Amino acid sequence: MKAKLFEERLRELPAGISPVVDYQETDRLLLMDLTAANTQLSPEILADTKLFSDWVDQLLEKNEARYGIGGYAEHRTIYSRSAVFDGEEEPRRFHLGIDIWGEAGTAVHAPLAGIVHSLGFNDAFGDYGATLILEHRLGDLTVHSLYGHLSLASIRDKREGEEIAQGDWIAAFGIPEENGHWPPHLHFQLIFDMEGWKGDYPGVCRFSERERYLANCPDPDLLLHMMQYATAPASH
């Protein structure tokens, strides 16, 4: 129900939605597959952040793509690289955001006006690293946008409650040493109810809990409008 109301509120916005990252419709966006179907992603690559980063860079270069993109509601095997996602009964493998893979330092902008809800540095191996969460009010609806794997310097001066204008530069992609030890990318996620979380919120859930989390975390492409331009790689 909230997702439909959210779509209605977005259609009513007089200023529309601003891009989260800079891109032109002529830029190639590469659809990234991080499931078990991608047999190129070996355990050796996933265990080594440098090898993983090189793999992403080479894939983008080979396909002449500015960004790699994808991952919403994707059941991924890559989270086996980190104990952050382990669980005694069931590990977390179901992705709740959209990832945009690109160069460290890539600028991130606010798609809507809002305020800084919270900030965090989730520095465990495989976690978000530097994290920013914005709160947006759309009439009677509140939605939050989460930006993970950021540059620490880019969020250092942000403060909770700070007003953010639509289109403002808000952060930049971080390097592995400060982004949770991942290849440079942005994890972008929408959340209705923060459920008491600050500076963090699960971006990956257990498969058995997916319906609850998907109801609270609508498709980020409602704001990004990028997936329609994503194309599959020439080959894995």
Side-chain angles (χ1 to χ4, degrees):
M1 293 294 292
K2 276 191 176 181
K4 289 186 178 180
L5 180 60
F6 182 44
E7 291 184 60
E8 291 175 8
R9 294 291 178 268
L10 291 178
R11 286 194 291 268
E12 295 167 357
L13 291 173
I17 303 165
S18 294
V20 172
V21 295
D22 297 321
Y23 78 101
Q24 307 296 321
E25 291 187 12
T26 53
D27 291 330
R28 183 167 187 198
L29 303 178
L30 188 69
L31 189 63
M32 299 281 280
D33 178 3
L34 300 181
T35 70
N38 188 344
T39 55
Q40 269 201 351
L41 275 176
S42 66
E44 292 74 22
I45 290 175
L46 290 177
D48 186 315
T49 302
K50 175 67 165 58
L51 290 178
F52 194 3
S53 298
D54 289 345
W55 179 84
V56 172
D57 290 344
Q58 291 164 12
L59 188 65
L60 294 179
E61 182 179 358
K62 176 181 177 181
N63 288 274
E64 300 180 336
R66 183 170 183 183
Y67 302 113
I69 190 169
Y72 180 63
E74 184 173 79
H75 196 229
R76 294 175 163 181
T77 53
I78 61 169
Y79 298 116
S80 60
R81 74 190 298 260
S82 169
V84 166
F85 306 101
D86 288 344
E88 291 184 5
E89 297 181 0
E90 180 187 355
R92 293 187 292 134
R93 298 288 186 264
F94 193 81
H95 193 238
L96 299 166
I98 282 179
D99 289 330
I100 303 174
W101 305 81
E103 295 181 2
T106 296
V108 180
H109 301 270
L112 303 170
I115 64 169
V116 174
H117 172 275
S118 52
L119 304 133
F121 185 39
N122 303 291
D123 196 31
F125 182 87
D127 212 326
Y128 283 136
T131 310
L132 171 67
I133 301 172
L134 303 184
E135 179 179 302
H136 314 279
R137 299 286 181 87
L138 303 176
D140 56 350
L141 182 67
T142 298
V143 65
H144 305 82
S145 54
L146 182 151
Y147 309 80
H149 310 296
L150 302 175
S151 154
L152 269 174
S154 70
I155 64 170
R156 186 167 291 138
D157 295 331
K158 297 288 189 300
R159 296 291 180 268
E160 288 187 15
E162 176 184 344
E163 293 189 2
I164 302 293
Q166 180 174 334
D168 274 358
W169 183 98
I170 54 170
F173 292 19
I175 59 174
E177 290 77 8
E178 57 192 21
N179 79 359
H181 307 276
W182 289 92
H185 73 290
L186 172 71
H187 171 96
F188 179 69
Q189 183 172 341
L190 299 177
I191 306 155
F192 291 125
D193 183 357
M194 287 297 298
E195 301 176 344
W197 290 79
K198 297 189 74 174
D200 195 7
Y201 186 86
V204 181
C205 72
R206 297 180 179 89
F207 189 77
S208 62
E209 298 177 330
R210 66 193 183 283
E211 291 185 11
R212 179 177 81 81
Y213 275 100
L214 289 176
N216 195 41
C217 301
D219 188 348
D221 202 48
L222 291 171
L223 290 188
L224 290 176
H225 294 304
M226 293 175 74
M227 292 302 297
Q228 62 186 314
Y229 303 112
T231 57
S235 61
H236 277 321

